[in-house]
Amino acid sequence: ELLERALAVASASGDVPTQRRCYTMLVDAAARVDVRVAARRIAWGRWSNAGQTCIAPDYVLCERGTVDALVAALRDAVAEFYTDDPQRCADYGRIVNRRHFDRVRALADTTRGRCVPLTRAAGAA
């Protein structure tokens, strides 16, 4: 029912999830899910390898009564994994050098945020 309601709202707003999106859904979190454990798993999936994984959640669907606890638990999980200042944390992934940064920036500038086939993004003909 939660997914049906979320899809109905997303459909009405024109923001319908597609197969290119990865979402996480917490259902009846107060009764069945340990929000702290869920937050740690979501944070790991989202920010592991700087979020560059196929399992990185793009968004979370949960019941309204769970939002505040989940956001607080996500903040705690990020601080636990990457300290209170993730930008300075040695364990948070980064682009290895300026040349690769420029390469990734050029891809983003070229595509202007549109999805492109992997072969084009990799520079194949």
Side-chain angles (χ1 to χ4, degrees):
E1 181 183 344
L2 178 63
L3 181 58
E4 290 173 7
R5 287 187 306 195
L7 290 174
V9 169
S11 177
S13 68
D15 186 23
V16 179
T18 69
Q19 66 272 19
R20 294 184 184 130
R21 302 302 243 158
C22 180
Y23 65 88
T24 301
M25 190 164 100
L26 275 65
V27 178
D28 197 14
R32 297 185 212 171
V33 176
D34 182 332
V35 174
R36 290 179 341 145
V37 171
R40 285 176 51 94
R41 291 175 180 169
I42 293 166
W44 178 86
R46 177 69 250 169
W47 290 289
S48 189
N49 194 34
Q52 300 303 304
T53 64
C54 60
I55 60 166
D58 295 306
Y59 54 93
V60 177
L61 300 173
C62 67
E63 297 178 32
R64 285 182 197 182
T66 307
V67 172
D68 292 339
L70 180 60
V71 169
L74 281 167
R75 285 187 178 131
D76 291 345
V78 170
E80 177 187 346
F81 295 159
Y82 307 113
T83 75
D84 289 329
D85 189 1
Q87 289 185 333
R88 296 187 195 283
C89 179
D91 293 328
Y92 188 75
R94 291 167 175 77
I95 297 174
V96 296
N97 60 37
R98 184 65 187 195
R99 182 174 65 90
H100 286 291
F101 175 85
D102 292 341
R103 179 183 59 81
V104 171
R105 169 61 66 92
L107 285 170
D109 290 345
T110 300
T111 63
R112 294 189 180 116
R114 293 184 321 270
C115 291
V116 295
L118 183 58
T119 53
R120 179 173 164 208

